[in-house]
Amino acid sequence: MAPAAGPMVVTDALLVTQDGTRRVVRGDLRVEDGRFTHVGAAAPRAGAEVLDGRRFAAVPGFINAHTHVAMAPLRGIADDRELAGFLEVLFAVDAHRSESDVEAGARAGIAEMLLSGTTSFLDLYYHEDAVARAVEALGIRGFLGWAVLDPELTTQSGRPIDNARAFIGRWKGRARIEPLVAPQGVYVCNRETWLAAKELAESTGSFCHYHLSETRREVHEHEAKTGRRPVVWLEEIGFLATPSVAAHAVWLTGQEIELLARRGVGIAHCPASNLKLASGGVAPVVELRAAGAVVGLGTDSVASNNSLSMLREMHLAGLVQKNQRWDATVLSAQELLDLATVEGARLLGRSDLGSLEVGKRADFSLVRLDHPTLLPSRPEAIVSHLAYAASEEAIDSVFVDGIAVVRARELRTADWNRVRADAEAAAQHLWASRRA
Ligand SMILES: [Zn+2]
């Protein structure tokens, strides 16, 4: 990827700051050494590359709080099935994945995310070294969880927890990578695996990421096995005390919501995946937020979404909550944008991400105000357009640490035709393996 850029000033853009008062103002951004040094009125231009921002809204980069980015070549491979049947297909294909096709998939998935305005993502997979290399090459920010499960259930070579420990050791301290440990879920992780993950997270100063209470079947089977619902059980074994982010959290009782909020467990809400896999019910996002839990938004993989667009995810998250509760006031456009930006940053424990404010990392997009889906381009409607209407095609440019990774809808850090060809080649053998 490109070396650190020199100072840059974006002039006279519509700034969707997502700061403490959610200001939307016309103004300048100045970026130096990867951070915002000026946000608002006319910025000093000395020594800076100047970019005319008049046609654009500047928007904080989206934070995708749950995905499996390397699954890009598997889009459409297991549609129209419930979770159990879906996982059966995926596990069969997984057994044929090599580190090089994981890397090809990750590059394609990251390109898709950058082109739709996502600048940070939280991932859960194996062969995460390949994902980390793709992160470095394409210039996104990756929070990369190495999947761990019980040793007798894995297709990984070696013990998953040892693989996770080694992975964290190899990548800790890189500029745009946070390696972490990801116990896959209660259906493949026993008590020892959860506690080993907790110990690893604590000893390396990171956090855990995992799937939680996605389907009724998962909850009921766990209850039958242990006498406890998953959240209560994780509390009783001592796991919840460690910093963590849980994906899905659809099937929760009031007691579990309280427990997750009290323990500071972050929730990655994945509405598209839940709807498509017919998880049933709707995640209690409103109750979780009311209880004080931090909630972000995730796309999950393209095998279950089938997109990595956070614009689509915001739109869907709002509609589902409103319709299911017969209450059009819940999850407002502003709250939806919050979930995709500042709340996502809180979820990841990163107060330097998620908004356009002096001192924060310069992760942002320039969104075309003259795109049909942003008409009328009135400042008071811009948050609504982002939450409910904007097309990915309106995302013109994307910056991570102030470095242009997308300009005029062209990926700048890799040759898209090469990225695409490699991912198509990976798909070729993965789709063949499904039929084998
Ligand atoms: Zn997932």
Side-chain angles (χ1 to χ4, degrees):
M1 102 158 262
M8 172 178 68
V9 173
V10 180
T11 58
D12 205 19
L14 186 62
L15 309 178
V16 182
T17 64
Q18 288 295 92
D19 68 4
T21 59
R22 305 295 188 263
R23 274 187 318 147
V24 175
V25 289
R26 272 274 165 199
D28 292 3
L29 289 175
R30 186 177 167 101
V31 176
E32 264 171 86
D33 298 327
R35 292 179 188 269
F36 296 114
T37 55
H38 180 103
V39 178
R45 300 184 184 190
E49 176 198 352
V50 176
L51 221 150
D52 182 354
R54 277 174 299 178
R55 288 172 50 235
F56 301 106
V59 179
F62 300 134
I63 295 172
N64 186 342
H66 178 67
T67 189
H68 315 277
V69 69
M71 289 169 71
L74 303 178
R75 185 185 340 253
I77 202 170
D79 289 342
D80 311 326
R81 299 157 195 262
E82 291 196 3
L83 184 65
F86 169 83
L87 289 178
E88 205 175 296
V89 173
L90 268 293
F91 286 156
V93 173
D94 265 354
H96 293 88
R97 293 211 77 171
S98 66
E99 191 158 337
S100 72
D101 80 53
V102 166
E103 188 162 346
R107 289 166 68 93
I110 289 168
E112 182 182 348
M113 288 197 287
L114 289 173
L115 287 162
S116 53
T118 294
T119 54
S120 290
F121 71 105
L122 176 52
D123 200 57
L124 188 163
Y125 216 58
Y126 55 98
H127 287 322
E128 283 283 340
D129 294 273
V131 182
R133 288 193 293 274
V135 165
E136 291 212 318
L138 272 78
I140 200 168
R141 198 180 296 284
F143 297 75
L144 310 180
W146 187 290
V148 299
L149 57 169
D150 298 343
E152 63 275 20
L153 298 176
T154 188
T155 55
Q156 295 177 31
S157 58
R159 289 179 67 228
I161 193 74
D162 295 334
N163 295 342
R165 181 176 288 108
F167 168 70
I168 293 172
R170 283 192 292 274
W171 293 92
K172 190 98 186 145
R174 303 289 184 108
R176 281 175 292 94
I177 290 175
E178 281 196 30
L180 54 119
V181 55
Q184 193 169 328
V186 293
Y187 40 93
V188 284
C189 298
N190 63 26
R191 183 176 180 278
E192 287 64 40
T193 299
W194 284 99
L195 294 180
K198 170 185 155 76
E199 183 277 322
L200 177 55
E202 287 172 357
S203 67
T204 52
S206 63
F207 63 92
C208 290
H209 182 42
Y210 49 101
H211 296 110
L212 178 69
S213 300
E214 180 176 357
T215 63
R216 276 176 297 183
R217 178 172 168 178
E218 167 193 342
V219 172
H220 293 158
E221 285 182 358
H222 193 72
E223 210 170 6
K225 198 165 68 184
T226 67
R228 296 286 185 275
R229 294 175 65 89
V231 177
V232 175
W233 183 78
L234 287 170
E235 169 69 3
E236 285 187 3
I237 68 169
F239 175 81
L240 288 188
T242 205
S244 70
V245 174
H248 302 303
V250 177
W251 291 101
L252 302 176
T253 62
Q255 180 202 9
E256 288 177 303
I257 290 169
E258 285 301 319
L259 204 45
L260 290 170
R262 182 149 37 87
R263 284 303 194 184
V265 174
I267 307 297
H269 175 43
C270 304
S273 176
N274 297 157
L275 288 165
K276 183 160 179 274
L277 292 168
S279 298
V282 169
V285 171
V286 176
E287 287 78 8
L288 282 160
R289 281 167 57 79
V294 177
V295 180
L297 268 186
T299 59
D300 215 347
S301 82
V302 294
S304 66
N305 186 303
N306 296 0
S307 161
L308 296 174
S309 167
M310 291 291 286
L311 291 167
R312 285 172 54 142
E313 211 65 28
M314 279 190 278
H315 180 210
L316 200 55
L319 266 50
V320 166
Q321 292 289 327
K322 290 169 197 302
N323 182 64
Q324 199 254 353
R325 311 170 73 96
W326 294 43
D327 183 354
T329 67
V330 298
L331 276 194
S332 66
Q334 181 63 65
E335 287 179 279
L336 292 165
L337 185 60
D338 290 355
L339 298 194
T341 57
V342 280
E343 294 298 299
R346 283 178 73 198
L347 200 73
L348 298 171
R350 289 290 297 264
S351 58
D352 61 341
L353 301 177
S355 61
L356 312 181
E357 291 180 90
V358 170
K360 296 213 180 189
R361 308 296 325 177
D363 294 5
F364 68 103
S365 300
L366 295 178
V367 183
R368 275 179 53 191
L369 290 169
D370 60 357
H371 191 272
T373 58
L374 276 91
L375 185 123
S377 63
R378 303 181 64 80
E380 61 268 47
I382 184 69
V383 170
S384 165
H385 295 345
L386 291 168
Y388 296 132
S391 157
E392 296 76 27
E393 298 294 321
I395 310 269
D396 181 85
S397 301
V398 181
F399 301 82
V400 178
D401 274 346
I403 296 167
V405 289
V406 173
R407 286 302 302 273
R409 292 213 55 68
E410 290 275 328
L411 194 60
R412 290 283 292 268
T413 46
D415 173 1
W416 167 246
N417 287 321
R418 175 78 195 280
V419 169
R420 191 184 59 78
D422 291 347
E424 292 281 10
Q428 176 78 18
H429 97 89
L430 292 170
W431 284 63
S433 75
R434 180 187 59 149
R435 288 186 292 272

